[in-house]
Amino acid sequence: RKFLSIVLKLRETMSTKGDHHTVPLSVLLKRESANEKIDSPELVHGQFNQSKKGEDFTFVKTDCQRVMGDGVSTFSVFGLFDGHNGPAAAIYTKENLLNNVLAAIPPDLNRDEWVAALPRAMVAGFVKTDKDFQERARKSGTTVTFVIVEGWVVSVASVGDSRCILEPAEGGVYYLSADHRLEINEEERDRVTASGGEVGRLNTGGGTEIGPLRCWPGGLCLSRSIGDLDVGEYIVPVPYVKQVKLSSAGGRLIISSDGVWDAISAEEALDCCRGLPPEHSAEHIVKEAVGKKGIRDDTTCIVVDILPSEKLAASVPPPKKQGKGMLKSMFKRKGSDSSSNIEKEYAEPDLVEELFEEGSAMLSERLDTKYPLCNMFKLFMCAVCQVEVKPGEGVSIHAGTANCRKLRPWDGPFLCASCQEKKDAMEGKRGYLLTHT
């Protein structure tokens, strides 16, 4: 089987348009052997916390398994939940979000299809978690940074102001989450006001305004979260989602609450723990942040090293110094220094590859898909809450959009009536907001 694979690769190389030089058999054999070793990286993680309010919670579950048509796949999950107005929303989200995400993925997908389905499943899982929690009439809320690592693919979904950053082994800093603070995100301010919310600072009387920009009613300084029933539906649970594929050299993830990022930059966080294992790194980052501004808030950090198997015992090596163009070059394949050195040309590793990025708060856009419906969504199931929808009862996600005239009545995905109301409220359909206040 391996020999046939090599022959096919060799034949493919020889048939490349206008390029008749072949890859040496020794190179292909090395690549086959290397692929077996690096197909699944090793993950080493550590976390640390200094608590002031007791509203930060973490979720770590490594070596999760799922059975697929092409074998058994493993993945790991890391979550950070920074609660406010009490811990209820953070605890509920910690206990339910993963199951809600996984429930939104059809069971019969192969590995590549499963990874491709994750971004939309994360959106559905966040919205279902928020919808279910609000039915319990709790008024607390939580930010969420939720990370799933499957092989070399890292998928991150986030609402609020906790953040996840990546330092690839090749160097540079890559942001995998968005900051939904109204103070710094003009696009989110415009969306909230367009949906009927008011954005302004706390008025202490006499025209004096203090503090960060907040959404009223409620006074939340974030535009996206899970929970926060008292603020309004324009504070949405629809996450920003980023999905990237690392090279086989791996990298380091830092997932931290705003207690860290209010005090130190991403570069400072990475520099203060350079060369340390994840457990000590997380502690150093938290203590560095607290040392600068004191313990003003719960301060939590998770560090994850994604490493080739043979590098398990070592931490991520110090990256090479990179110029300002690093972020742009991270998504390109390195070129060889010499076209005559074929072995070097084919041994050069890939850099970080961006697979998916979307931050829209519009649920109709986020659940739309270019993939065949049968592969991505279960027919006659609500795409958010996964309840069974009888033929004719479900509402297409495209209903009321410009595309709806071009689609057939059975084109999905579909929402149940309850989730359709939730979508309309989040997308600023004032009729729903006015009749449910």
Side-chain angles (χ1 to χ4, degrees):
R1 195 165 118 193
K2 183 180 290 187
F3 179 77
L4 178 61
S5 173
I6 293 172
V7 170
L8 290 173
K9 287 180 182 178
L10 191 58
R11 181 180 297 176
E12 181 181 356
T13 304
M14 294 176 67
S15 63
T16 303
K17 280 198 246 178
D19 187 3
H20 297 289
H21 79 263
T22 60
V23 183
L25 184 60
S26 61
V27 173
L28 288 175
L29 285 169
K30 287 180 182 178
R31 289 171 64 186
E32 272 302 302
S33 177
N35 284 338
E36 290 179 1
K37 293 180 181 178
I38 67 176
D39 186 48
S40 295
E42 297 285 352
L43 267 63
V44 186
H45 71 275
Q47 58 181 307
F48 191 79
N49 165 269
Q50 286 197 15
S51 181
K52 182 177 177 65
K53 302 176 184 177
E55 295 177 340
D56 272 11
F57 296 87
T58 60
F59 178 89
V60 174
K61 190 172 183 180
T62 59
D63 296 324
C64 304
Q65 290 190 339
R66 65 178 294 268
V67 179
M68 304 175 298
D70 53 359
V72 177
S73 176
T74 61
F75 61 96
S76 298
V77 184
F78 304 90
L80 176 55
F81 314 92
D82 182 356
H84 46 264
N85 296 329
I91 294 173
Y92 182 86
T93 304
K94 172 184 174 178
E95 294 176 348
N96 293 277
L97 181 56
L98 176 59
N99 287 338
N100 289 339
V101 170
L102 296 180
I105 305 178
D108 301 324
L109 304 183
N110 64 33
R111 185 175 182 177
D112 290 341
E113 290 171 336
W114 191 85
V115 169
L118 261 181
R120 291 159 183 84
M122 286 174 144
V123 172
F126 269 62
V127 176
K128 175 173 170 53
T129 303
D130 176 74
K131 180 171 172 283
D132 290 349
F133 178 73
Q134 290 197 2
E135 289 175 357
R136 287 157 172 76
R138 301 289 183 89
K139 294 185 178 180
S140 64
T142 185
T143 73
V144 182
T145 301
F146 200 65
V147 181
I148 295 180
V149 182
E150 208 283 358
W152 299 102
V153 177
V154 179
S155 304
V156 183
S158 61
V159 291
D161 56 1
S162 295
R163 297 179 194 166
C164 176
I165 64 170
L166 164 68
E167 181 184 47
E170 296 86 6
V173 182
Y174 191 40
Y175 295 84
L176 301 184
S177 59
D179 196 325
H180 294 126
R181 286 189 184 183
L182 290 164
E183 182 72 32
I184 66 173
N185 197 320
E186 182 180 359
E187 185 177 348
E188 286 293 281
R189 292 199 298 269
D190 293 342
R191 182 189 63 76
V192 168
T193 54
S195 298
E198 294 184 13
V199 176
R201 305 186 194 280
L202 180 64
N203 194 326
T204 59
T208 303
E209 295 183 339
I210 60 172
L213 289 173
R214 300 177 183 273
C215 177
W216 306 96
L220 188 66
C221 62
L222 306 171
S223 61
R224 303 197 198 186
S225 68
I226 286 180
D228 293 306
L229 180 62
D230 57 328
V231 180
E233 295 283 1
Y234 29 76
I235 303 300
V236 300
V238 181
Y240 168 91
V241 180
K242 187 91 168 179
Q243 189 179 71
V244 298
K245 184 176 183 180
L246 278 66
S247 76
S248 57
R252 166 167 284 184
L253 297 172
I254 296 179
I255 309 160
S256 296
S257 60
D258 62 327
V260 167
W261 307 121
D262 285 346
I264 61 177
S265 67
E267 291 79 6
E268 288 173 322
L270 290 163
D271 287 343
C272 79
C273 63
R274 185 77 65 205
L276 296 176
E279 186 174 353
H280 293 156
S281 295
E283 181 177 355
H284 270 253
I285 290 170
V286 169
K287 289 184 175 179
E288 180 79 9
V290 171
K292 287 209 170 185
K293 289 198 172 183
I295 183 72
R296 298 183 177 185
D297 194 4
D298 294 338
T299 306
T300 305
C301 180
I302 304 172
V303 176
V304 183
D305 282 350
I306 305 172
L307 304 169
S309 299
E310 63 271 18
K311 292 185 180 180
L312 178 59
S315 59
V316 175
K320 301 174 184 177
K321 294 293 182 182
Q322 303 291 345
K324 293 183 179 179
M326 180 60 196
L327 286 179
K328 185 175 181 181
S329 67
M330 279 170 63
F331 302 106
K332 297 179 180 178
R333 180 185 293 270
K334 285 184 180 179
S336 62
D337 294 333
S338 171
S339 58
S340 61
N341 191 340
I342 297 176
E343 182 143 349
K344 180 177 180 182
E345 177 181 351
Y346 284 94
E348 200 70 77
D350 291 334
L351 297 179
V352 175
E353 177 186 359
E354 183 174 350
L355 302 179
F356 182 93
E357 179 180 20
E358 180 57 67
S360 170
M362 305 293 284
L363 197 57
S364 55
E365 294 180 9
R366 302 300 298 279
L367 292 183
D368 196 5
T369 175
K370 297 177 182 178
Y371 296 92
L373 177 63
C374 60
N375 289 340
M376 297 298 294
F377 294 99
K378 306 166 193 173
L379 198 59
F380 305 131
M381 297 286 281
C382 175
V384 169
C385 69
Q386 303 302 303
V387 301
E388 186 174 352
V389 179
K390 295 181 181 179
E393 289 186 359
V395 181
S396 171
I397 197 74
H398 307 289
T401 67
N403 292 330
C404 113
R405 295 178 184 175
K406 303 176 184 178
L407 298 166
R408 299 165 296 182
W410 55 85
D411 280 324
F414 297 96
L415 298 178
C416 67
S418 174
C419 289
Q420 178 67 25
E421 286 185 343
K422 178 75 173 175
K423 178 189 84 74
D424 287 346
M426 292 192 303
E427 296 187 353
K429 307 291 176 61
R430 294 294 295 160
Y432 176 83
L433 287 172
L434 291 173
T435 57
H436 287 71
T437 56

